[in-house]
Amino acid sequence: MTLPDTPANPAGADRTFQVDLRGLVDLLSHHLYSSPRVYLRELLQNAVDALTARHALEPAAPADAFGVRLYADGTVVCVEDDGVGLTEADVHTFLATIGRSSKRAERIAEQRGDFIGQFGIGLLSCFLVADEIHVLSRSARTPDAPAVEWRGRGDGSYTVRVLPATARPRPGTTVTLTPRTDAGEWTRPAQVHALARHFGSLLRHPVTFDDGTGATSVNPESAPWARTYPTPGARSRALAAYGEEVFGFKPLDTIELDLPAVGLKGIACVLPETVPAGRSHGHRVHVKGMLLSEQAEEILPEWAFFVRCVVDAESLRPTASRESLYEDDTLAAVRDALAERLRAWIARAAASDPDLLHRFLQAHHLAVKSLAVHDDEILRMLLPWLPFETTDGHTTLDEFARTHRTVLVTSSVEEFRQVAAIASAAGLGVVNGGYTYDRELVHRLPEIRSEVTVADLDPATLTAHLDPVDRETELAAAAYLARARDALAVFDCDVALRAFQPASAPALLVDSREARHERTRSQLAREQEGGLWGDILGALRQEAPRAQLILNQLNPLVRTAVTIDEPELARTSAEALYGQAALLSRRPLRPAESSLINRSFLDLLAHALRKDS
């Protein structure tokens, strides 16, 4: 709203923003916080921070001398703490000023790292479930401090009253909410208890819950990694049981995480099964015991998708919503340090537990491959043991290199499928390099096994291992081969006659994705000749390599086909052989190829029926 220029508001004078609290609450509920349930986390957080300030004020007090008590009976929700409390001035300054946090006060500014919340907007989240917030507080800073009552309403108004000290006999703060009828989902006693357990199970201060039938502890035990156990085995089993309770799966193994520099402790649970590509798994991050996020993907690098982590940290900074982590140098350093812990676990498994390593690689070889691409230590350690698809089946590179000193690698899955059977029969060792990371990793095998040579497979290498036919056979088949080349010219495909195993394979189609793309580009350039796009495509044009249909002289069907004298039948049989070879390559068929396969099948069927009649 713009105020008119008056003597009280001269032109150029400073003005104060007017805040619509209703609009601000709506903004919080729809854009800052993920759910109304965070109101309880914010109340717990404020209570715990007040306890932290109280301990700083009275450092000699026992750790469990002060606590937090929750009460919910369906009509009210109360959160009471034995914290440092508020004076009347504090109430006016911090509860009635949006965005200012008591943790920023000068007297405790040097200790703000001890507090969870640092934004001063958490109390507003209570308006997500209630129209009025009632706060009764008494400061612990002076023995005879009076009690102070603050009532804030969703329309932006508030009242403050100073009461006798007897209104609150002990220092601390009680926040009371009267839930709206539409907030019952989040304020029922059972739900309040569940939310308290969810957010506060790892808090270091005692927290209890009472629904009118008696108080129960919200956090009866410390974090599992903070407890002592009689044996290392008992500790390992306890951490695995906790991981199963939190994540819902039995970990393949648990990795303890401990970064003293940032006060981080926790565990990483190794998933027992392969993670589907593209699925992200967030991690549970607590800050000073309070659950911050269940989906904190930023705590680990992207390649570490084989683990789920639950950690508690001291020095990580939450964002304003306190539902994710602030990306800064500390978080980057933590991410790198945790990644190093995972590498160290893989190294230990490789050195001392081959059974665990085998089960891990069976489930997560893709994650390890992605790591090995960028990590020379993991590459040297694990590359020989990683599984690859080869002409000897699915096997490790170590086993494959024992049989094949020269390892050939394809550039695509379809190229491997085209040549696998033929290459295997010819004694060639070929690895499928078409999957993510595989080709790059296979090319690095000589760094680990110096006696092995790795090269890309090209058509010339394969055809060189196919036996030529004798001159008489070649001449006898010349007429058929000429008709076949003419029939397949539309596909830029040459036709040759060779002898190779297995004899059951009538033909081999040798073609690469790059060659097909180059032929497509050349065709477009010819169609666009003379225009702007034609000039551009023509400038990019290279000599388009032709595909090759290699007929197998050892196959009985081919030996019969090359003797066909009837031109149309010869042409149809060549088209059928091309179509069958294209199908065996398992690459996507072009529309013209699908049409050719249908036409050649029908023509051969018609010829057979005419012959029978």
Side-chain angles (χ1 to χ4, degrees):
M1 179 177 70
T2 303
L3 299 177
D5 292 333
T6 67
N9 294 284
D14 289 340
R15 292 172 171 82
T16 302
F17 283 106
Q18 304 298 308
V19 177
D20 179 356
L21 191 59
R22 287 284 187 192
L24 184 58
V25 170
D26 182 70
L27 179 67
L28 292 176
S29 62
H30 290 94
H31 300 284
L32 184 62
Y33 295 124
S34 61
S35 165
R37 68 176 185 166
V38 299
Y39 83 92
L40 192 68
R41 184 197 64 198
E42 297 297 328
L43 291 178
L44 277 174
Q45 174 184 290
N46 288 341
V48 170
D49 284 344
L51 292 178
T52 301
R54 180 77 180 271
H55 278 288
L57 189 66
E58 303 176 33
D64 59 352
F66 311 124
V68 181
R69 294 167 295 282
L70 285 78
Y71 177 84
D73 63 2
T75 60
V76 295
V77 176
C78 296
V79 178
E80 181 181 20
D81 67 69
D82 301 316
V84 71
L86 298 171
T87 64
E88 181 183 5
D90 291 336
V91 166
H92 283 288
T93 303
F94 301 123
L95 297 189
T97 305
I98 296 172
R100 179 177 296 174
S101 171
S102 61
K103 273 74 78 174
R104 291 176 181 163
E106 228 176 84
R107 56 182 175 270
I108 56 174
E110 69 278 4
Q111 299 169 342
R112 65 180 295 179
D114 296 333
F115 298 93
I116 304 170
Q118 299 178 7
F119 293 91
I121 59 177
L123 195 62
L124 287 179
S125 65
C126 295
F127 287 123
L128 300 177
V129 297
D131 289 324
E132 183 175 280
I133 305 171
H134 176 257
V135 178
L136 182 63
S137 187
R138 181 181 171 189
S139 176
R141 300 190 183 281
T142 55
D144 57 348
V148 183
E149 178 191 64
W150 179 87
R151 289 183 183 271
R153 289 168 287 276
D155 61 5
S157 63
Y158 71 93
T159 58
V160 177
R161 289 197 304 159
V162 178
L163 304 176
T166 54
R168 182 179 174 87
R170 295 187 302 173
T173 300
T174 302
V175 180
T176 303
L177 309 177
T178 302
R180 294 194 305 271
T181 55
D182 63 349
E185 177 184 359
W186 308 109
T187 56
R188 290 192 299 268
Q191 180 71 318
V192 173
H193 188 201
L195 291 176
R197 288 277 300 163
H198 180 73
F199 290 118
S201 62
L202 299 187
L203 287 173
R204 293 86 182 266
H205 302 285
V207 182
T208 60
F209 172 80
D210 188 353
D211 60 0
T213 62
T216 59
S217 176
V218 168
N219 53 343
E221 295 183 297
S222 58
W225 48 81
R227 305 171 203 163
T228 57
Y229 300 90
T231 64
R235 181 179 184 85
S236 179
R237 288 189 295 272
L239 294 179
Y242 179 73
E244 185 173 3
E245 176 189 346
V246 170
F247 295 122
F249 64 83
K250 186 175 182 180
L252 184 67
D253 197 15
T254 55
I255 308 165
E256 286 207 55
L257 306 174
D258 187 4
L259 304 178
V262 292
L264 183 146
K265 290 181 179 291
I267 57 171
C269 298
V270 182
L271 289 156
E273 297 177 347
T274 304
V275 181
R279 177 184 295 180
S280 60
H281 284 298
H283 310 286
R284 289 175 65 94
V285 175
H286 298 252
V287 174
K288 302 176 181 69
M290 182 71 72
L291 179 62
L292 178 78
S293 174
E294 299 172 86
Q295 299 295 325
E297 298 179 13
E298 63 272 23
I299 196 73
L300 285 179
E302 291 183 3
W303 56 258
F305 52 78
F306 56 87
V307 296
R308 298 284 301 279
C309 290
V310 52
V311 299
D312 185 19
E314 295 286 337
S315 301
L316 295 178
R317 291 176 57 194
T319 59
S321 68
R322 287 180 285 280
E323 295 186 323
S324 59
L325 295 171
Y326 185 81
E327 188 69 46
D328 58 9
D329 292 342
T330 300
L331 179 57
V334 166
R335 185 163 49 236
D336 292 343
L338 292 181
E340 186 57 38
R341 296 295 189 276
L342 299 184
R343 292 189 186 96
W345 175 83
I346 295 175
R348 286 196 302 274
S352 60
D353 197 337
D355 178 63
L356 175 61
L357 179 67
H358 175 70
R359 288 184 286 128
F360 170 67
L361 291 180
Q362 271 191 321
H364 302 296
H365 58 272
L366 182 61
V368 177
K369 285 178 180 179
S370 68
L371 176 57
V373 167
H374 308 289
D375 193 306
D376 290 343
E377 182 180 350
I378 295 296
L379 178 80
R380 289 190 296 272
M381 191 186 317
L382 294 182
L383 181 59
W385 312 109
L386 290 172
F388 288 83
E389 185 179 6
T390 75
T391 46
D392 291 353
H394 282 83
T395 184
T396 65
L397 284 186
D398 190 61
E399 294 175 352
F400 193 67
R402 293 175 189 171
T403 308
H404 306 281
R405 291 306 186 203
T406 298
V407 175
L408 302 173
V409 59
T410 64
S411 60
S412 67
V413 173
E414 67 182 54
E415 183 179 307
F416 176 81
R417 290 170 177 169
Q418 286 176 11
V419 306
I422 311 302
S424 179
L428 296 176
V430 182
V431 178
N432 186 351
Y435 296 114
T436 306
Y437 310 118
D438 283 14
R439 183 167 174 265
E440 183 177 354
L441 288 172
V442 173
H443 271 287
R444 298 192 66 179
L445 182 60
E447 299 177 27
I448 316 300
R449 299 283 186 267
S450 57
E451 70 278 10
V452 176
T453 302
V454 176
D456 287 325
L457 176 69
D458 58 39
T461 303
L462 180 63
T463 54
H465 284 78
L466 305 181
D467 295 330
V469 297
D470 59 70
R471 184 170 181 78
E472 291 182 3
T473 302
E474 182 83 30
L475 289 173
Y480 178 85
L481 295 176
R483 293 188 180 106
R485 292 185 186 106
D486 182 64
L488 302 179
V490 66
F491 299 114
D492 285 323
C493 182
D494 196 8
V495 183
L497 185 64
R498 296 287 187 274
F500 54 86
Q501 295 293 338
S504 59
L508 168 67
L509 181 60
V510 179
D511 196 12
S512 67
R513 184 182 303 170
E514 292 75 13
R516 291 197 303 276
H517 287 173
E518 182 57 39
R519 291 197 297 272
T520 301
R521 186 165 57 197
S522 297
Q523 182 180 353
L524 288 173
R526 289 193 296 270
E527 293 173 355
Q528 299 285 339
E529 190 171 357
L532 174 62
W533 284 111
D535 294 340
I536 295 174
L537 292 170
L540 296 173
R541 187 186 308 169
Q542 302 175 8
E543 184 64 29
R546 307 189 73 194
Q548 264 198 321
L549 179 68
I550 304 175
L551 304 180
N552 187 3
Q553 174 64 20
L554 300 181
N555 182 268
L557 177 64
V558 172
R559 287 202 300 270
T560 301
V562 297
T563 63
I564 296 174
D565 293 327
E566 186 180 339
E568 284 303 317
L569 182 58
R571 182 184 184 91
T572 300
S573 65
E575 291 175 340
L577 288 169
Y578 175 89
Q580 191 259 359
L583 286 173
L584 288 178
S585 72
R586 290 188 281 182
R587 64 168 170 78
L589 296 177
R590 290 171 287 180
E593 291 174 329
S594 298
S595 176
L596 174 140
I597 292 172
N598 292 331
R599 185 179 69 250
S600 62
F601 170 75
L602 293 175
D603 288 349
L604 287 175
L605 181 60
H607 176 82
L609 292 175
R610 285 197 304 271
K611 184 177 180 181
D612 290 342
S613 62

